Amino acid sequence: MPSYTAPTRDARFILNEMLDLAGYAHLPGFEMATPDVSDAVLGEGGKFCSEVLAPLNRTGDEEGCTRHDDGSVTTPAGFKQAYGQFVEAGWGTISAPEEFGGQGMPHALGFALEEFISSANQAFGMYPGLTNGAVSALIAKGSQEQKDMYLPKMISGEWSGTMNLTEPQCGTDLGMIRTKAEPQADGSYAVTGTKIFISAGEHDLTENIIHLVLAKTPGAPDSTKGISLFVVPKFLVNEDGSVGERNGVVCGSIEEKMGIHGNSTCLLNYDGAKGWLVGEENKGLAAMFIMMNAARLGVGIQGLSQAEAAYQNAVAYALDRRQGRALTGPAEPDAQADPIFVHPDVRRMLMDAKAFTEGMRALCLWGALQVDLSHKAETEEEREKADLIIGLLTPVIKGYGTDKGYEVATNMQQVFGGHGYIREWGMEQFVRDARIAQIYEGTNGVQAMDLCGRKLAQKGGAGIQAFFKMVGDEVEQARGDETLGPLAEPLGKALAEQQASTMWFMSNAMQNPNHLGAGAHHYMHMMGIVTLGFMWLRMAKVAQTKRAEGADDAAFYETKLATARYFMDRYLPDVGAFRRKIESGSDSMMALGEEAFATAA
Ligand SMILES: Cc1cc2nc3c(=O)[nH]c(=O)nc-3n(C[C@H](O)[C@H](O)[C@H](O)COP(=O)(O)OP(=O)(O)OC[C@H]3O[C@@H](n4cnc5c(N)ncnc54)[C@H](O)[C@@H]3O)c2cc1C
């Protein structure tokens, strides 16, 4: 059975040493996240994840969720008790606003804990994860009455939340939504339609489930311009805040799926369910985007989380399993064979995973800090800059983070050889669970198009220019330094390749938009690598300073510097290949017609 230890040392390094959260103590909420408090949160939260959630990962996968004839759903054994402990300890409230009962601490700290939860048990983590997305949308667009009615209990975890976008005929193209919302005399709406694939759509963990549903009002434009957002509680809420009558929404079935079996993926039938408009009519997509942006960062963390959990187990296996001899001669001559850890090909997979997980953790927590700064920084200019940067990087964190997270999970399975394919070792579950993150919250193809088709051009390219400057400045500062210079130089070259690809899009995509579509995936990956390179350079800078100061834990800092070198050696060269793919355009990709794809007997 796989095991999991929360990587608290690395999270502390990023939060306290690289991001220096204490340096932001003048901003609201940050003053509470002193190194002592954040260490305690990470320590205790990590323990809860390792000791309570991780042991339920495998059993939850095997048992799955059960739908009963009345439409109710039972989660796997142990989930309800664990959820009770989660709520009691307040793990879901860390970065939620104090106004509604949260602890108001930085998202950077909340995200660190989110990674641990997801590594320990992704299916479990999705229940509070979906609630977070729904909370963000209600905070941004809900009326005061809606906020007061729903937020305190959603934030405490007594109630959970869902996002209802997908219907059988529409996933990516939400303009095709058919769910209807008819206005009623009392100001509510009667919501009717079928939503599919709704994560955490029905379960036994909470007293109430607050569904956020996209639907169209009568006469609304039949496109994305006609979508409105509604809040539809499973149980209507009485004036005193208690749970009342059952609403007209029922789980028709739960999906049989590849992974995340402990999370109930539901088909929900809405039959004249009572709902209330959130925000303005026909502006539902904008409201939903708020929810999706929060959720997309959470899904990026899922990519990291499965890679990390799989990596920890692969390291233990590689040190234990003996096969063959080291190429340079027996490492342990007295034993019949050496541990597979000695083989460069095994080490390639482990180093690749280590460089990704630590780099991606830094990116996720730094990204979460940008979310904090976009709300709380002192000046409008700083808030706008943080907002621009995190808006630009959200599709990269989601798309690159989950593509690479999945690849790492399969490589960690590969370290186990045939045993990785056998259920007993649990490695195949990491692969199955990691796979969904590339698909939901907008497929990674859609993330790539969001990045290249929307974000690059937003505000006249201000976001990407700010990104180039930020990375370029870091490279310039490091040039000439004995340790950092050799890391900065290849990063500077990779940045130049990305800038050239950006220019290529600007010169060619107007005349043929397929050129943009054909290169978008590669651009997203190229930017993911450059961004992780930027994180590694920053981590190396901190490690070098600590080393020079003679700080304790010297091995930790030496390891950071060595891993930074690996990243620059082994990840950055791919950026040039991506550039060449992008610059080959779309002609050969789009040349063949339908008939050429038919299989001839
Ligand atoms: C386990 C699970 C949980 C889910 N949870 C939720 C949930 O909680 N709430 C919810 O509302 N939905 C949920 N979903 C639905 C999920 O978000 C959608 O499946 C996803 O957005 C893709 O939609 P689709 O399946 O209809 O695929 P399609 O939109 O049909 O896409 C098919 C393929 O075409 C590509 N494609 C489509 N349009 C474009 C385009 N314009 N440009 C480039 N490529 C394109 C896609 O990238 C994809 O490769 C869940 C799905 C699963 C499997």
Side-chain angles (χ1 to χ4, degrees):
M1 173 126 129
S3 67
Y4 172 70
T5 305
T8 51
R9 173 66 181 101
D10 201 44
R12 281 191 280 120
F13 167 75
I14 296 165
L15 293 176
N16 300 336
E17 300 174 53
M18 178 184 137
L19 299 178
D20 184 24
L21 284 196
Y24 295 92
H26 56 290
L27 302 180
F30 281 83
E31 78 284 0
M32 292 184 280
T34 59
D36 283 353
V37 170
S38 60
D39 289 0
V41 169
L42 297 176
E44 284 305 307
K47 202 162 142 218
F48 171 74
C49 294
S50 307
E51 293 177 3
V52 178
L53 298 185
L56 297 174
N57 196 35
R58 179 71 187 275
T59 52
D61 179 58
E62 280 170 357
E63 184 185 335
C65 295
T66 312
R67 179 186 175 277
H68 307 283
D69 290 343
D70 62 356
S72 64
V73 171
T74 312
T75 51
F79 270 45
K80 199 169 161 62
Q81 290 85 334
Y83 188 79
Q85 286 176 258
F86 175 89
V87 171
E88 201 180 326
W91 294 128
T93 66
I94 303 278
S95 46
E98 285 182 286
E99 188 190 349
F100 301 108
Q103 299 184 53
M105 287 198 275
H107 282 93
L109 181 59
F111 271 39
L113 188 60
E114 217 172 299
E115 179 206 325
F116 300 170
I117 295 169
S118 185
S119 279
N121 196 325
Q122 182 175 327
F124 178 94
M126 287 173 66
Y127 292 101
L130 265 301
T131 307
N132 286 343
V135 163
S136 309
L138 285 172
I139 288 175
K141 297 287 174 184
S143 65
Q144 194 56 47
E145 196 190 346
Q146 288 168 342
K147 289 179 188 176
D148 293 341
M149 180 176 283
Y150 299 112
L151 289 178
K153 289 197 173 171
M154 291 173 82
I155 287 172
S156 72
E158 288 162 88
W159 297 352
S160 61
T162 68
M163 307 171 42
N164 291 235
L165 293 74
T166 310
E167 299 182 6
Q169 77 292 346
C170 78
T172 302
D173 189 353
L174 294 169
M176 294 199 289
I177 276 175
R178 289 191 193 136
T179 298
K180 289 276 164 237
E182 299 272 351
Q184 305 296 295
D186 63 359
S188 70
Y189 288 76
V191 177
T192 302
T194 299
K195 293 287 178 181
I196 61 166
F197 300 165
I198 305 307
S199 298
E202 176 60 46
H203 56 79
D204 58 354
L205 300 183
T206 56
E207 181 192 34
N208 205 356
I209 302 176
I210 311 305
H211 302 292
L212 287 187
V213 184
L214 288 186
K216 286 180 180 161
T217 52
D222 199 16
S223 69
T224 49
K225 293 197 172 80
I227 300 174
S228 304
L229 181 65
F230 298 88
V231 56
V232 186
K234 171 178 163 184
F235 289 100
L236 299 176
V237 180
N238 297 322
E239 270 184 20
D240 64 358
S242 61
V243 156
E245 223 179 288
R246 184 79 159 83
N247 203 354
V249 47
V250 179
C251 168
S253 62
I254 50 178
E255 303 296 341
E256 297 281 330
K257 56 191 191 288
M258 177 175 172
I260 51 164
H261 292 151
N263 196 270
S264 55
T265 309
C266 300
L267 177 147
L268 293 181
N269 287 317
Y270 289 85
D271 187 7
K274 235 178 188 344
W276 288 267
L277 186 65
V278 178
E280 287 175 59
E281 206 171 314
N282 298 337
K283 297 272 168 64
L285 208 60
M288 203 49 134
F289 260 112
I290 290 164
M291 184 148 131
M292 290 198 307
N293 278 336
R296 280 175 179 176
L297 293 175
V299 174
I301 290 179
Q302 289 180 349
L304 161 64
S305 74
Q306 295 313 289
E308 170 68 29
Y311 163 73
Q312 289 186 12
N313 287 282
V315 171
Y317 190 81
L319 292 170
D320 186 55
R321 174 77 170 170
R322 288 173 185 275
Q323 294 290 298
R325 287 298 190 186
L327 294 174
T328 48
E332 295 184 23
D334 295 340
Q336 209 183 353
D338 287 337
I340 58 170
F341 186 73
V342 302
H343 303 306
D345 191 57
V346 170
R347 205 68 80 75
R348 167 186 68 80
M349 293 188 275
L350 295 178
M351 275 308 288
D352 207 57
K354 184 172 174 57
F356 170 71
T357 53
E358 293 179 21
M360 186 67 191
R361 178 170 303 114
L363 174 58
C364 288
L365 301 188
W366 174 85
L369 176 62
Q370 305 312 308
V371 174
D372 288 317
L373 294 178
S374 73
H375 297 297
K376 296 178 174 174
E378 274 177 318
T379 65
E380 179 66 23
E381 195 188 341
E382 287 171 295
R383 288 194 293 274
E384 266 181 21
K385 186 178 168 215
D387 190 52
L388 206 59
I389 289 285
I390 192 59
L392 177 76
L393 282 169
T394 294
V396 178
I397 292 174
K398 196 281 184 184
Y400 174 73
T402 61
D403 276 356
K404 188 69 194 174
Y406 176 74
E407 185 191 319
V408 167
T410 65
N411 279 342
M412 296 306 93
Q413 181 188 34
Q414 187 78 7
V415 169
F416 280 68
H419 300 275
Y421 200 73
I422 302 301
R423 277 186 68 88
E424 186 192 340
W425 287 89
M427 294 305 285
E428 52 81 51
Q429 186 188 345
F430 296 130
V431 174
R432 287 188 287 107
D433 287 356
R435 185 68 183 85
I436 186 58
Q438 297 172 286
I439 298 172
Y440 58 21
E441 261 349 300
T443 61
N444 284 358
V446 169
Q447 303 301 321
M449 284 308 290
D450 179 40
L451 173 65
C452 298
R454 256 168 40 89
K455 300 284 170 65
L456 287 185
Q458 231 169 28
K459 299 198 175 158
I464 192 69
Q465 291 307 335
F467 174 83
F468 289 152
K469 179 162 174 7
M470 183 175 66
V471 182
D473 286 352
E474 196 73 34
V475 166
E476 284 314 314
Q477 280 171 26
R479 269 195 218 283
D481 181 278
E482 198 185 333
T483 307
L484 302 179
L487 302 174
E489 203 194 293
L491 180 60
K493 280 192 186 143
L495 181 67
E497 305 264 25
Q498 189 194 342
Q499 284 167 320
S501 299
T502 315
M503 286 302 292
W504 191 89
F505 275 153
M506 281 171 67
S507 316
N508 294 279
M510 288 285 254
Q511 131 227 352
N512 182 356
N514 276 345
H515 288 333
L516 189 85
H521 168 88
H522 306 307
Y523 189 90
M524 181 175 77
H525 276 247
M526 156 191 271
M527 189 159 171
I529 294 171
V530 170
T531 313
L532 285 204
F534 171 54
M535 290 297 129
W536 271 113
L537 186 56
R538 289 195 53 176
M539 288 195 281
K541 196 166 153 186
V542 176
Q544 188 212 24
T545 308
K546 293 282 173 183
R547 190 173 64 171
E549 290 169 359
D552 290 345
D553 211 356
F556 178 86
Y557 300 112
E558 287 299 340
T559 303
K560 277 281 171 219
L561 287 166
T563 312
R565 280 193 292 276
Y566 176 88
F567 186 90
M568 304 307 181
D569 283 352
R570 293 282 174 158
Y571 273 70
L572 291 180
D574 288 347
V575 171
F578 286 135
R579 175 182 171 187
R580 282 184 283 287
K581 287 187 194 194
I582 290 167
E583 293 183 2
S584 75
S586 61
D587 293 350
S588 61
M589 193 178 282
M590 304 302 278
L592 299 178
E594 267 177 51
E595 65 296 341
F597 287 85
T599 306

